[in-house]
Amino acid sequence: MIRAALLALCLTLPARAETVAEQAARASADLQSAVAALESATEARDRVSALSQTIRAYEAGLGALRGALREASLRESTLTRTFEAKRDRIGQLLGVLATMEANPGPLLLLHPDGALGTARSGMILADVTPALQSEALRVKAELQELADLRALQLSAGEVLERGLAAAQTARTALSQAISDRTDLPRRFTEDPEVLKGLLESADTLDAFAAGLSPDSAAGSSFAEAKGTLPLPVLGTLLRRPGEADAAGVRRPGVTLATRTHALVTAPWPATIRFRGPLLDYGNVMILEPGDGYLLVLAGMETLYGEVGEVVAAEAPLGLMGGPATGTAEFVALGPDGSGGRDTETLYMELRQGAAPVDPMPWFAALARTGE
């Protein structure tokens, strides 16, 4: 069942909400400890145990990187909106100043205080514009710095992915040799390139943890976004949590009625933890938006993205199914007077750890229907 899949995912989440910097520092320490264990292991079983420890450290490090990428995506979205708003205000002010310079005579009559009031207004606008311009440039610089940071994080992720793949291959080969009672492969750390990769990975995690400022997680978190999330698809509420469907089955999530081939998007920056068919739910995508939560979306015909990928808010996740529709059916009025019919259903479930959470208060459109 979907609950079993969710429980398996929940068991891999941190026991408490660690900061990204704490996760990275812990992963770095674990990896360094694993390297020491690999070098000192002499017995085959000890080598298997040390390789398992190495793999867990790599996975923890990759988890920390994914968390950082989610935070960076959220911060980038906020900075972009701020930059666009300031750029629009600057454009409006420059337009006013240009108009005043081009038509000074008629504008004298527009201000209640006459020419003196108009002159003062012009002086104020002239003073405000450079300040806004400077602020917009500062935000633009932050955006560029953030883009550079994300590029470095993606590069670090590639280093850790390569190390994880090498450790998994080595453990599989060693375990198979023990099982088959054949000659054991040479020790993992005897390969200079492998040892170099291990040390490089530990250094990468150290630098990553040190580079995260204490206030790097000071922005809005998923838990703080409760009540403001957009729905992942344009649709209407069909069933509330606990309401029985046609077969009498009651589920803890909500069911949304959508149009055929409707686009499903991420309501919050998240990591794809699972994607694919699951029992009678159809195609399922499980997202990890942070703070120990998991968001389950089931019922799509087409899925985008790969497991482990960090997606930004509003990133496309998939498409709903349904038969191909012609123009006549597309323009036909639905029961609410809109230009389409809601014939597909998307099931959405929210969990914190292993426990289901009522998703209604989290999404702005659903919170209003529950009032």
Side-chain angles (χ1 to χ4, degrees):
M1 295 179 65
I2 195 171
R3 293 179 184 175
L6 284 169
L7 181 59
L9 284 177
C10 290
L11 291 175
T12 66
L13 296 177
R16 68 174 185 86
E18 287 182 309
T19 66
V20 172
E22 288 175 338
Q23 291 179 38
R26 178 170 55 83
S28 175
D30 289 347
L31 187 55
Q32 293 178 36
S33 175
V35 172
L38 281 169
E39 292 179 335
S40 62
T42 55
E43 299 295 328
R45 299 294 177 184
D46 293 337
R47 289 166 60 184
V48 171
S49 176
L51 282 169
S52 299
Q53 183 182 348
T54 303
I55 290 171
R56 286 194 296 269
Y58 270 119
E59 290 173 341
L62 286 167
L65 279 172
R66 287 193 289 266
L69 286 170
R70 289 195 298 267
E71 292 179 0
S73 177
L74 183 60
R75 176 65 176 155
E76 184 177 27
S77 177
T78 301
L79 285 174
T80 299
R81 288 195 298 268
T82 301
F83 176 68
E84 294 296 336
K86 291 185 181 298
R87 189 170 62 176
D88 290 344
R89 289 175 63 189
I90 292 169
Q92 292 171 4
L93 287 173
L94 290 177
V96 170
L97 289 174
T99 302
M100 291 175 65
E101 290 178 359
N103 304 285
L107 284 174
L108 296 178
L109 304 176
L110 296 180
H111 200 282
D113 294 335
L116 182 59
T118 301
R120 287 174 176 169
S121 299
M123 293 172 64
I124 292 172
L125 287 173
D127 288 340
V128 168
T129 303
L132 280 175
Q133 182 75 37
S134 175
E135 180 67 13
L137 290 175
R138 183 187 65 79
V139 175
K140 184 178 181 180
E142 288 185 21
L143 278 170
Q144 183 58 51
E145 182 180 348
L146 189 59
D148 294 341
L149 176 61
R150 291 188 67 185
L152 288 173
Q153 290 171 348
L154 289 172
S155 176
E158 293 175 359
V159 171
L160 296 183
E161 287 282 6
R162 289 196 300 270
L164 174 61
Q168 288 173 329
T169 300
R171 186 180 65 174
T172 300
L174 181 58
S175 298
Q176 188 64 45
I178 294 173
S179 176
D180 296 342
R181 299 179 181 276
T182 58
D183 292 338
L184 300 181
R186 67 176 179 172
R187 292 173 56 184
F188 191 54
T189 53
E190 288 178 0
D191 187 332
E193 288 300 317
V194 167
L195 184 57
K196 177 183 176 183
L198 281 169
L199 298 177
E200 183 182 7
S201 298
D203 290 342
T204 296
L205 283 171
D206 267 341
F208 173 58
L212 294 172
S213 59
D215 59 346
S216 62
S220 177
S221 66
F222 181 73
E224 294 171 344
K226 185 177 182 178
T228 66
L229 297 176
L231 287 175
V233 68
L234 184 62
T236 56
L237 180 63
L238 185 62
R239 279 187 294 275
R240 297 169 182 266
E243 289 185 350
D245 60 14
V249 178
R250 301 177 186 273
R251 295 188 172 100
V254 298
T255 303
L256 303 173
T258 79
R259 292 184 186 179
T260 59
H261 309 298
L263 178 67
V264 180
T265 59
W268 190 261
T271 303
I272 300 176
R273 298 298 302 272
F274 175 86
R275 67 180 294 276
L278 185 63
L279 301 179
D280 60 341
Y281 286 88
N283 279 329
V284 173
M285 181 167 287
I286 301 179
L287 302 176
E288 181 193 347
D291 297 333
Y293 288 88
L294 292 173
L295 179 65
V296 183
L297 301 171
M300 290 173 277
E301 181 177 76
T302 305
L303 297 176
Y304 302 142
E306 299 296 335
V307 173
E309 180 182 350
V310 176
V311 295
E314 301 181 1
L317 300 175
L319 294 173
M320 300 302 295
T325 55
T327 305
E329 183 177 350
F330 179 77
V331 300
L333 291 179
D336 60 350
S338 63
R341 296 186 178 91
D342 292 339
T343 59
E344 299 297 308
T345 57
L346 179 75
Y347 176 69
M348 181 171 65
E349 184 174 311
L350 182 65
R351 288 188 171 248
Q352 184 178 25
V357 176
D358 183 1
M360 295 282 290
W362 285 78
F363 295 85
L366 300 183
R368 289 194 295 269
T369 64
E371 292 176 352

